[in-house]
Amino acid sequence: MTLDSKNYLKILFSILITLMIMAVIYSYYFIKHYPIPITNRISLDAKITFIKENIDIDSVDTIIVGSSIGLNNVQGETLQKSSTQAKSVLNLSVYEATPPQIEQILQLTPTFPNLKRIIYSAQYSDFAYEGKLKEYNATFIGSYIKGSLSTKEKFTFYFKSCQNIFFCIKRAWNWRDKYQQNNQFTYLGFDATGSVPLHIYGDDIIASRWQKPHSNRQNNRTFDALDRMSLRAKNLNIDFIFALQPYRQPLIDKFPHVAPTIQKFTQRVKNIMSKNSGKFIDLHSKLHLKDAYFADRSHLNDKGSLLSSQALGEFLDK
């Protein structure tokens, strides 16, 4: 039996319409349950979605920025409890964010009208590479968070967000096993402020990340970015605090390049903070944390980040 052209077209259009309806239904489901693809980085997309759904942007007075050293090493909830100054904390850190990328992220500060301070949580390893965020539009993201997009903008955004249906399926497929396990470094289970405490102990510790230090690589452009973002904060009357996070002391003692690299890094950061009226706190020297508080060479576990956050809170009050 052969189909005439008319019936063939009917069947073809019916299949196409069915596929389109299924794609729309799945896109709606995806938007309700997973981070919408706004940028090309899932940790940033998840953070943007979290802020929109959970944070009172008008009350935020303290923002934490950094890479995972900010995301994992500072517990925003503990910081709030430990400081009378930081009453409403938002951890805006993003995995693997370089200083120039953090500078881009801080373009979102106008979204928080009562912002008083920025805490940059980092280690020397964060200043090894530069790079910029792609597909990043701070103006659009700010409007999305505030809920001020027009109906047309919303429709266009939601339509495009899952245009690549296979990308969305892959992101959803990996979400639970890769991003919702607190014993993995990819964990994206935010606390009430957007921080991600790690529960990494014993067999979950990755040997290479525990036993080998970072190289002594430093990139001058990363310090230029720190200079610009701290100067911008000064011009906006926002306090800028740089928190040098702890590093495993056995690696500092064993590998000859680590101590001088940290010393040189510390001095460069101090010079920038002094120039731009910023503040500096050395949590490594202040806390002298033992290995029991580390998840790897520079990331703290949830016990270590608790102490780091308490020390930051005390510093703010002083």
Side-chain angles (χ1 to χ4, degrees):
M1 179 180 176
T2 59
L3 294 173
D4 57 39
S5 58
K6 187 175 181 181
N7 288 329
Y8 176 80
L9 288 174
K10 282 183 178 179
I11 294 172
L12 178 61
F13 279 119
S14 296
I15 293 172
L16 291 175
I17 290 171
T18 300
L19 290 174
M20 288 179 64
I21 292 172
M22 289 175 64
V24 169
I25 293 173
Y26 180 78
S27 296
Y28 178 80
Y29 170 82
F30 180 91
I31 289 168
K32 290 292 184 182
H33 295 87
Y34 303 102
I36 305 173
I38 303 174
T39 69
N40 66 339
R41 186 169 298 192
I42 188 170
S43 59
L44 180 53
D45 291 341
K47 182 57 64 71
I48 292 168
T49 301
F50 169 81
I51 294 170
K52 179 175 175 57
E53 295 178 353
N54 299 279
I55 298 297
D56 178 4
I57 59 176
D58 293 326
S59 69
V60 172
D61 58 29
T62 304
I63 281 179
I64 303 159
V65 292
S67 63
S68 52
I69 300 296
L71 196 64
N72 304 141
N73 286 21
V74 183
Q75 296 184 27
E77 290 180 321
T78 301
L79 182 60
Q80 286 179 168
K81 295 175 183 176
S82 305
S83 171
T84 60
Q85 301 297 313
K87 298 177 181 177
S88 180
V89 176
L90 168 63
N91 194 322
L92 199 52
S93 304
V94 175
Y95 279 133
E96 299 181 344
T98 65
Q101 291 171 339
I102 292 167
E103 184 181 18
Q104 289 178 276
I105 292 169
L106 283 176
Q107 293 172 8
L108 292 174
T109 51
T111 309
F112 311 100
N114 295 304
L115 183 64
K116 295 179 180 178
R117 65 190 61 83
I118 295 168
I119 300 173
Y120 192 159
S121 170
Q123 245 300 340
Y124 80 90
S125 53
D126 288 317
F127 283 66
Y129 301 96
E130 47 176 329
K132 290 291 188 74
L133 293 170
K134 299 178 180 178
E135 301 175 23
Y136 181 80
N137 185 330
T139 302
F140 176 83
I141 293 171
S143 297
Y144 173 71
I145 290 172
K146 291 185 289 187
S148 60
L149 294 177
S150 67
T151 302
K152 181 180 179 181
E153 287 173 325
K154 287 180 184 177
F155 179 82
T156 303
F157 168 58
Y158 289 132
F159 177 77
K160 288 183 177 179
S161 64
C162 256
Q163 213 165 22
N164 185 346
I165 196 72
F166 297 105
F167 171 86
C168 291
I169 291 173
K170 182 180 179 181
R171 176 172 282 196
W173 182 266
N174 291 329
W175 181 246
R176 181 176 178 180
D177 292 336
K178 188 173 181 180
Y179 300 109
Q180 293 297 294
Q181 307 300 320
N182 67 357
N183 64 341
Q184 297 183 27
F185 285 101
T186 51
Y187 183 46
L188 288 173
F190 302 123
D191 69 9
T193 65
S195 296
V196 181
L198 294 174
H199 193 79
I200 295 179
Y201 299 88
D203 292 341
D204 291 325
I205 291 175
I206 300 172
S208 60
R209 297 180 62 148
W210 184 265
Q211 299 169 356
K212 297 179 182 179
H214 297 92
S215 73
N216 61 354
R217 178 187 175 101
Q218 300 280 266
N219 187 306
N220 288 332
R221 292 190 181 90
T222 61
F223 292 94
D224 293 339
L226 177 63
D227 188 12
R228 290 191 300 270
M229 66 178 91
S230 57
L231 178 60
R232 178 175 178 268
K234 176 184 177 181
N235 293 334
L236 293 172
N237 292 317
I238 296 172
D239 290 337
F240 194 96
I241 301 103
F242 191 99
L244 178 68
Q245 287 289 341
Y247 205 86
R248 279 194 68 229
Q249 190 63 44
L251 296 181
I252 297 176
D253 297 337
K254 181 178 180 180
F255 294 87
H257 75 275
V258 180
T261 303
I262 292 177
Q263 290 169 3
K264 184 178 179 181
F265 171 77
T266 297
Q267 192 57 54
R268 292 188 73 172
V269 172
K270 281 183 175 180
N271 290 341
I272 294 172
M273 292 301 100
S274 177
K275 172 176 172 283
N276 295 331
S277 302
K279 308 289 191 305
F280 178 87
I281 177 173
D282 183 349
L283 291 171
H284 176 83
S285 298
K286 182 176 179 62
L287 296 174
H288 300 288
L289 293 182
K290 303 295 184 182
D291 281 354
Y293 297 101
F294 284 87
D296 72 356
R297 55 204 164 194
S298 59
H299 292 84
L300 302 176
N301 55 38
D302 43 19
K303 292 180 181 178
S305 59
L306 180 70
L307 298 180
S308 168
S309 306
Q310 289 173 343
L312 265 175
E314 293 171 4
F315 179 77
L316 292 185
D317 283 2
K318 290 179 181 178

